[in-house]
Every structure is written in C-alpha cells, then in structure tokens.
C-alpha cells in the first residue's frame, strides 16, 4: 500500500510538476536549444519536476549508462564534512534519454571532467530565463516552485499484513 505524504498539493516532483515528454517537446528542444548540456538541463527539469537547486548539483555520473535513470542528491549542497544522504532516482522517459546521453558525452569530451564533475554547469540561475525562452515552453516546476524534497521521497510503501482477496471471475 502506498502512503502518500501530507500536503501533496504543495509538493513537486514526478507527475506533479512535470509534463509528458512528447515528440513535440523533444522537437522543440532539439531545434530551439543548440547547446547539448542546456538541452539536457531543460529536459531534466521537465521530466523530474525537481528543484533547479538540486539539478544544479547532478554529477556526470548521475546519468545511468543507458540514460534511463537520473540520480539527484538533495544533500549535495550539505555542509562540508557531513556525508550526503542517498540519491533520489528519477525515471527518464525513452524520448528524453538521448538528450541526457548527449550532454554526458559532450561534458566527458571537455578537459578536466570526470564522473564527479557537475553535468549542468552554468545552466541554471540567471541563465534559466534565457534557457526557457529558447525552449519556448512552460515549465511547471518553475511555475509551482517547491523548495523541499519531492513527493516520492516522502512517500512510503507498506506491506499488507494479510493477503489481498482473489478477484472473482
């Protein structure tokens, strides 16, 4: 049984502050945002719906080898000396994966980068307005900002103590 967190209307994340990554959106990003890292940053913002503060600290190694998962660590900005908490994983739809993989490839070709280097360097902050104008699309995570962790980090799954009844046929 899935136990949803209280105050779900004030939280963000997958399904709340995301949009379906349609062929039209993929085409808009591909044709309007020429830098592969910025295109991937916009893609990550659309498919995760998480805070730009968290996405700004995603390392190159945070993208799975096939691009199907993006690992975001909300504690990456934690106090120096304190170990960060576990990563939060986001599923990346198949249409969005080429954008993330292209950004990883692009960043790995730069000098002095490794898996711990930040993937979305210089993509958020004051550059985000230009990025969203280039993309030409509304971004729910920016319209509905949420400073805290996403809803699926608060949700808990409980095992039922009794087996579910079998459906009647």
């Amino acid at each position: 049984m899935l136990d949803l967190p209280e105050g779900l209307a004030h939280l963000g994340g997958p399904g709340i502050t995301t949009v379906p990554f349609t062929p039209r959106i993929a085409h808009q990003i591909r044709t309007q945002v020429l830098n592969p890292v910025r295109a991937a940053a916009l893609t990550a913002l659309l498919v995760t719906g998480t805070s730009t503060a968290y996405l700004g600290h995603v390392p190159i190694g945070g993208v799975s080898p096939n691009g199907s998962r993006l690992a975001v660590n909300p504690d990456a900005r934690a106090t120096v000396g304190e170990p960060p908490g576990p990563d939060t994983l986001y599923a990346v739809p198949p249409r969005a994966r080429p954008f993330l993989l292209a950004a990883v490839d692009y960043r790995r070709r730069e000098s002095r980068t490794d898996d711990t280097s930040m993937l979305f360097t210089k993509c958020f902050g004051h550059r985000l307005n230009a990025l969203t104008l280039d993309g030409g699309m509304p971004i729910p995570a920016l319209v509905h900002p949420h400073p805290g962790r996403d809803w699926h980090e608060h949700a808990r799954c409980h095992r039922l103590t009794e087996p579910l009844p079998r459906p009647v046929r």
Side-chain angles (χ1 to χ4, degrees):
M1 178 174 77
L2 183 63
D3 184 18
L4 295 175
E6 292 182 24
L8 191 61
H10 302 292
L11 297 175
I16 296 176
T17 49
T18 57
V19 294
F21 204 80
T22 63
R24 181 175 183 263
I25 287 176
H27 177 74
Q28 273 185 277
I29 293 173
R30 190 175 293 110
T31 59
Q32 301 298 319
V33 184
L34 301 180
N35 181 298
V37 176
R38 291 190 180 176
L42 185 56
T43 298
L45 189 57
L46 288 168
V47 301
T48 66
T50 195
S51 167
T52 57
Y54 297 154
L55 286 176
H57 293 277
V58 170
I60 293 171
V63 178
S64 65
N66 65 356
S68 65
R69 289 185 319 271
L70 181 65
V72 177
N73 193 320
D75 296 328
R77 301 178 309 148
T79 307
V80 175
E82 291 181 19
D87 288 342
T88 301
L89 296 178
Y90 293 85
V92 178
R95 258 185 221 107
R97 294 172 191 171
F99 293 97
L100 294 179
L101 293 174
V104 167
D105 185 52
Y106 184 86
R107 293 281 288 132
R108 284 196 172 133
R109 291 173 190 263
E110 294 177 336
S111 63
R112 291 179 269 156
T113 57
D114 60 16
D115 278 356
T116 60
S117 299
M118 297 298 108
L119 178 60
F120 302 125
T121 301
K122 300 179 182 176
C123 289
F124 298 119
H126 68 280
R127 293 173 181 89
L128 185 60
N129 289 337
L131 185 63
T132 56
L133 288 174
D134 289 346
M137 64 191 73
I139 301 175
L142 299 178
V143 176
H144 177 72
H146 55 287
R149 295 174 183 247
D150 291 340
W151 74 269
H152 67 295
E153 292 183 70
H154 302 286
R156 297 291 174 253
C157 190
H158 302 283
R159 295 184 189 273
L160 298 174
T161 56
E162 297 177 10
L164 292 173
R166 289 189 175 160
V168 178
R169 294 183 191 202

Coordinates of all heavy atoms in Angstrom, one line a residue, residues 97-149:
R97 N 16.0 10.4 -23.1 CA 17.3 9.8 -22.8 C 18.4 10.3 -23.7 O 19.5 10.6 -23.3 CB 17.2 8.3 -22.9 CG 16.3 7.7 -21.7 CD 16.1 6.2 -21.9 NE 15.1 5.9 -20.9 CZ 14.5 4.7 -20.8 NH1 14.8 3.8 -21.7 NH2 13.6 4.4 -19.9
P98 N 18.1 10.4 -25.1 CA 19.2 10.9 -25.9 C 19.7 12.3 -25.5 O 20.9 12.6 -25.7 CB 18.5 11.0 -27.3 CG 17.4 10.0 -27.2 CD 16.9 10.0 -25.8
F99 N 18.9 13.1 -25.0 CA 19.3 14.5 -24.6 C 20.3 14.4 -23.4 O 21.4 15.0 -23.4 CB 18.1 15.3 -24.2 CG 17.2 15.7 -25.3 CD1 16.1 15.0 -25.5 CD2 17.5 16.8 -26.1 CE1 15.3 15.3 -26.6 CE2 16.7 17.1 -27.2 CZ 15.6 16.4 -27.4
L100 N 20.0 13.5 -22.4 CA 20.9 13.3 -21.3 C 22.2 12.7 -21.7 O 23.3 13.1 -21.3 CB 20.3 12.6 -20.2 CG 19.1 13.2 -19.5 CD1 18.5 12.3 -18.4 CD2 19.5 14.6 -18.9
L101 N 22.1 11.7 -22.6 CA 23.3 11.0 -23.0 C 24.2 11.9 -23.9 O 25.5 11.8 -23.8 CB 22.9 9.7 -23.8 CG 22.3 8.6 -22.9 CD1 21.8 7.5 -23.8 CD2 23.2 8.1 -21.9
A102 N 23.6 12.7 -24.7 CA 24.4 13.7 -25.5 C 25.1 14.7 -24.6 O 26.3 15.0 -24.8 CB 23.5 14.4 -26.5
A103 N 24.5 15.1 -23.5 CA 25.2 16.0 -22.6 C 26.3 15.3 -21.9 O 27.4 15.9 -21.7 CB 24.1 16.6 -21.6
V104 N 26.1 14.1 -21.5 CA 27.2 13.4 -20.8 C 28.4 13.2 -21.7 O 29.5 13.5 -21.4 CB 26.7 12.0 -20.3 CG1 27.8 11.1 -19.9 CG2 25.7 12.1 -19.2
D105 N 28.1 12.8 -23.0 CA 29.2 12.7 -24.0 C 29.9 14.0 -24.2 O 31.1 14.1 -24.2 CB 28.6 12.2 -25.3 CG 29.6 11.9 -26.3 OD1 30.6 11.1 -26.0 OD2 29.5 12.4 -27.4
Y106 N 29.1 15.1 -24.3 CA 29.7 16.4 -24.5 C 30.6 16.8 -23.4 O 31.7 17.3 -23.6 CB 28.6 17.4 -24.7 CG 29.0 18.8 -25.1 CD1 29.3 19.2 -26.4 CD2 29.2 19.8 -24.0 CE1 29.7 20.5 -26.7 CE2 29.6 21.0 -24.3 CZ 29.8 21.4 -25.7 OH 30.2 22.7 -25.9
R107 N 30.1 16.6 -22.2 CA 30.9 17.0 -21.0 C 32.1 16.1 -20.8 O 33.1 16.6 -20.3 CB 30.0 17.0 -19.7 CG 28.9 18.0 -19.7 CD 29.4 19.4 -19.3 NE 29.7 19.4 -17.9 CZ 30.8 19.8 -17.4 NH1 31.7 20.4 -18.1 NH2 31.0 19.8 -16.1
R108 N 32.0 14.9 -21.1 CA 33.2 14.0 -21.0 C 34.3 14.3 -22.0 O 35.5 14.0 -21.8 CB 32.8 12.5 -21.1 CG 32.1 12.0 -19.9 CD 32.0 10.5 -19.9 NE 31.5 10.1 -18.6 CZ 30.6 9.2 -18.5 NH1 30.0 8.6 -19.5 NH2 30.1 8.8 -17.3
R109 N 33.9 15.0 -23.1 CA 34.9 15.4 -24.1 C 35.7 16.7 -23.7 O 36.7 17.0 -24.2 CB 34.3 15.6 -25.4 CG 33.8 14.3 -26.0 CD 33.0 14.6 -27.3 NE 32.4 13.4 -27.8 CZ 32.8 12.6 -28.7 NH1 34.0 12.8 -29.3 NH2 32.2 11.5 -29.1
E110 N 35.1 17.4 -22.7 CA 35.8 18.6 -22.2 C 37.0 18.2 -21.4 O 37.0 17.1 -20.8 CB 34.9 19.4 -21.3 CG 33.7 20.0 -22.1 CD 32.8 20.8 -21.2 OE1 32.7 20.5 -20.0 OE2 32.1 21.7 -21.8
S111 N 38.0 19.0 -21.3 CA 39.2 18.7 -20.5 C 38.8 18.8 -19.0 O 37.9 19.6 -18.6 CB 40.3 19.7 -20.8 OG 40.0 21.0 -20.5
R112 N 39.5 18.1 -18.2 CA 39.4 18.1 -16.8 C 38.0 17.8 -16.3 O 37.5 18.4 -15.3 CB 39.9 19.4 -16.2 CG 41.4 19.5 -16.4 CD 41.9 20.8 -15.8 NE 41.9 21.7 -17.0 CZ 41.8 23.0 -16.9 NH1 41.7 23.6 -15.7 NH2 41.8 23.8 -17.9
T113 N 37.3 16.8 -16.9 CA 36.0 16.4 -16.3 C 36.1 14.9 -16.1 O 36.7 14.2 -16.7 CB 34.8 16.7 -17.3 OG1 35.1 16.0 -18.6 CG2 34.6 18.1 -17.5
D114 N 35.3 14.5 -15.0 CA 35.2 13.1 -14.7 C 33.8 12.9 -14.2 O 32.9 13.8 -14.3 CB 36.2 12.6 -13.7 CG 36.1 13.4 -12.4 OD1 35.1 14.0 -12.1 OD2 37.1 13.3 -11.6
D115 N 33.5 11.7 -13.7 CA 32.1 11.4 -13.3 C 31.6 12.2 -12.2 O 30.4 12.3 -12.0 CB 31.9 9.9 -13.0 CG 31.7 9.0 -14.2 OD1 31.7 9.6 -15.3 OD2 31.7 7.8 -14.0
T116 N 32.5 12.8 -11.4 CA 32.1 13.7 -10.3 C 31.9 15.1 -10.7 O 31.4 15.9 -9.9 CB 33.1 13.6 -9.1 OG1 34.4 14.1 -9.6 CG2 33.2 12.2 -8.6
S117 N 32.3 15.5 -11.9 CA 32.1 16.9 -12.4 C 30.6 17.1 -12.6 O 29.9 16.2 -12.9 CB 32.8 17.1 -13.7 OG 34.2 16.9 -13.6
M118 N 30.2 18.4 -12.3 CA 28.8 18.7 -12.5 C 28.3 18.7 -13.9 O 29.0 19.3 -14.8 CB 28.5 20.1 -11.9 CG 28.8 20.2 -10.4 SD 27.8 19.1 -9.4 CE 29.0 17.9 -8.9
L119 N 27.2 18.1 -14.2 CA 26.7 17.9 -15.5 C 26.1 19.2 -16.1 O 26.4 19.6 -17.2 CB 25.6 16.8 -15.6 CG 25.0 16.5 -16.9 CD1 26.0 16.1 -18.0 CD2 23.9 15.5 -16.8
F120 N 25.3 19.9 -15.3 CA 24.6 21.0 -15.7 C 25.2 22.4 -15.3 O 24.6 23.3 -14.9 CB 23.1 21.0 -15.2 CG 22.4 19.7 -15.6 CD1 21.8 18.9 -14.7 CD2 22.3 19.4 -17.0 CE1 21.1 17.8 -15.1 CE2 21.6 18.2 -17.4 CZ 21.0 17.5 -16.4
T121 N 26.5 22.4 -15.4 CA 27.3 23.6 -15.1 C 26.8 24.8 -16.0 O 26.6 24.6 -17.2 CB 28.8 23.4 -15.3 OG1 29.2 22.3 -14.5 CG2 29.6 24.6 -15.0
K122 N 26.5 25.9 -15.3 CA 26.1 27.2 -16.0 C 24.8 27.0 -16.8 O 24.6 27.7 -17.8 CB 27.2 27.6 -16.9 CG 28.5 27.9 -16.2 CD 29.6 28.4 -17.2 CE 30.9 28.6 -16.4 NZ 32.0 29.0 -17.3
C123 N 23.9 26.2 -16.3 CA 22.6 26.1 -17.0 C 21.5 26.7 -16.2 O 20.4 27.0 -16.7 CB 22.3 24.6 -17.2 SG 23.3 23.9 -18.5
F124 N 21.6 26.8 -14.9 CA 20.5 27.3 -14.0 C 20.9 28.7 -13.5 O 21.9 29.3 -13.9 CB 20.1 26.3 -13.0 CG 19.7 25.0 -13.5 CD1 20.4 23.8 -13.3 CD2 18.6 24.9 -14.3 CE1 20.0 22.6 -13.8 CE2 18.1 23.7 -14.9 CZ 18.8 22.6 -14.6
G125 N 20.1 29.2 -12.6 CA 20.3 30.5 -12.0 C 19.8 31.5 -13.0 O 18.8 31.4 -13.7
H126 N 20.6 32.6 -13.2 CA 20.2 33.7 -14.1 C 20.1 33.2 -15.6 O 19.5 33.8 -16.4 CB 21.1 34.9 -14.0 CG 22.5 34.6 -14.5 ND1 23.5 34.0 -13.8 CD2 23.1 34.9 -15.7 CE1 24.6 33.9 -14.5 NE2 24.4 34.5 -15.6
R127 N 20.8 32.1 -15.9 CA 20.7 31.6 -17.3 C 19.4 30.8 -17.6 O 19.1 30.6 -18.7 CB 21.9 30.6 -17.5 CG 23.2 31.3 -17.5 CD 24.4 30.3 -17.5 NE 25.6 30.9 -17.5 CZ 26.3 31.2 -16.4 NH1 25.8 30.9 -15.2 NH2 27.5 31.8 -16.4
L128 N 18.7 30.5 -16.6 CA 17.5 29.7 -16.7 C 16.4 30.5 -17.5 O 15.7 29.9 -18.4 CB 16.9 29.3 -15.4 CG 15.7 28.3 -15.5 CD1 16.1 27.0 -16.2 CD2 15.2 28.0 -14.1
N129 N 16.3 31.8 -17.3 CA 15.3 32.5 -18.1 C 15.6 32.5 -19.6 O 14.6 32.2 -20.4 CB 15.3 34.0 -17.6 CG 14.7 34.1 -16.2 OD1 13.9 33.3 -15.8 ND2 15.0 35.2 -15.6
A130 N 16.8 32.6 -20.0 CA 17.2 32.5 -21.4 C 16.9 31.1 -21.9 O 16.5 30.9 -23.0 CB 18.6 32.9 -21.6
L131 N 17.2 30.1 -21.1 CA 17.0 28.7 -21.4 C 15.6 28.4 -21.7 O 15.2 27.8 -22.7 CB 17.6 27.8 -20.3 CG 17.6 26.3 -20.6 CD1 18.5 26.0 -21.8 CD2 18.1 25.6 -19.3
T132 N 14.7 28.9 -20.8 CA 13.3 28.6 -21.0 C 12.7 29.4 -22.2 O 11.8 28.9 -22.9 CB 12.4 28.9 -19.8 OG1 12.7 30.3 -19.4 CG2 12.8 28.0 -18.6
L133 N 13.2 30.6 -22.5 CA 12.8 31.3 -23.6 C 13.2 30.6 -24.9 O 12.5 30.6 -25.9 CB 13.3 32.8 -23.6 CG 12.7 33.7 -22.6 CD1 13.4 35.0 -22.5 CD2 11.2 33.9 -22.9
D134 N 14.5 30.1 -24.9 CA 15.0 29.4 -26.0 C 14.1 28.1 -26.3 O 13.8 27.8 -27.5 CB 16.4 28.9 -25.8 CG 17.4 30.1 -25.9 OD1 17.0 31.1 -26.3 OD2 18.6 29.9 -25.5
G135 N 13.7 27.4 -25.3 CA 12.9 26.2 -25.4 C 11.5 26.6 -25.8 O 10.8 25.7 -26.5
G136 N 11.0 27.7 -25.5 CA 9.7 28.2 -25.9 C 8.5 27.3 -25.3 O 7.5 27.1 -26.0
M137 N 8.6 26.9 -24.0 CA 7.6 26.1 -23.5 C 7.4 26.4 -22.0 O 8.4 26.8 -21.3 CB 7.9 24.6 -23.7 CG 9.1 24.1 -23.0 SD 9.7 22.5 -23.5 CE 10.3 22.8 -25.1
P138 N 6.2 26.2 -21.4 CA 6.0 26.4 -20.0 C 6.7 25.2 -19.2 O 6.6 24.1 -19.7 CB 4.5 26.4 -19.8 CG 4.0 25.7 -21.0 CD 5.0 25.9 -22.1
I139 N 7.2 25.5 -18.0 CA 7.8 24.5 -17.2 C 7.2 24.5 -15.8 O 7.3 25.5 -15.1 CB 9.4 24.8 -17.1 CG1 10.0 24.8 -18.5 CG2 10.0 23.8 -16.2 CD1 11.4 25.1 -18.5
P140 N 6.4 23.5 -15.5 CA 5.6 23.5 -14.3 C 6.4 23.7 -13.0 O 6.0 24.3 -12.1 CB 4.9 22.1 -14.3 CG 4.8 21.8 -15.7 CD 6.1 22.3 -16.4
A141 N 7.7 23.1 -13.0 CA 8.5 23.2 -11.8 C 8.9 24.7 -11.5 O 9.2 25.0 -10.4 CB 9.7 22.4 -12.0
L142 N 8.9 25.5 -12.5 CA 9.2 27.0 -12.3 C 7.9 27.7 -11.9 O 8.0 28.7 -11.2 CB 9.8 27.6 -13.6 CG 11.1 26.9 -14.0 CD1 11.6 27.6 -15.3 CD2 12.2 27.0 -12.9
V143 N 6.8 27.3 -12.4 CA 5.5 28.0 -12.1 C 5.1 27.6 -10.7 O 4.5 28.4 -10.0 CB 4.4 27.6 -13.1 CG1 3.1 28.2 -12.8 CG2 4.8 28.1 -14.5
H144 N 5.4 26.4 -10.3 CA 5.0 25.8 -9.0 C 6.3 25.5 -8.2 O 6.6 24.3 -8.1 CB 4.1 24.6 -9.2 CG 3.7 23.9 -7.9 ND1 2.8 24.4 -7.1 CD2 4.0 22.7 -7.4 CE1 2.6 23.6 -6.0 NE2 3.4 22.5 -6.3
P145 N 7.1 26.4 -7.8 CA 8.3 26.1 -7.2 C 8.1 25.5 -5.8 O 7.2 25.8 -5.1 CB 9.1 27.4 -7.1 CG 8.0 28.4 -7.1 CD 6.9 27.9 -7.9
H146 N 8.9 24.6 -5.5 CA 8.8 23.9 -4.2 C 10.3 23.7 -3.6 O 11.1 23.1 -4.2 CB 8.1 22.6 -4.3 CG 8.8 21.6 -5.3 ND1 8.7 21.9 -6.7 CD2 9.6 20.6 -5.2 CE1 9.4 20.9 -7.3 NE2 9.9 20.1 -6.4
P147 N 10.6 24.4 -2.5 CA 11.9 24.3 -2.0 C 12.3 23.0 -1.4 O 13.5 22.7 -1.3 CB 11.9 25.5 -1.0 CG 10.5 25.5 -0.5 CD 9.7 25.2 -1.7
G148 N 11.3 22.2 -1.0 CA 11.6 21.0 -0.3 C 11.9 19.8 -1.2 O 11.9 19.9 -2.4
R149 N 12.0 18.6 -0.6 CA 12.2 17.4 -1.4 C 10.9 17.0 -2.1 O 9.8 17.3 -1.7 CB 12.7 16.3 -0.5 CG 14.1 16.6 0.1 CD 14.5 15.6 1.1 NE 15.7 15.9 1.7 CZ 16.8 15.2 1.6 NH1 16.8 14.2 0.8 NH2 17.9 15.6 2.1

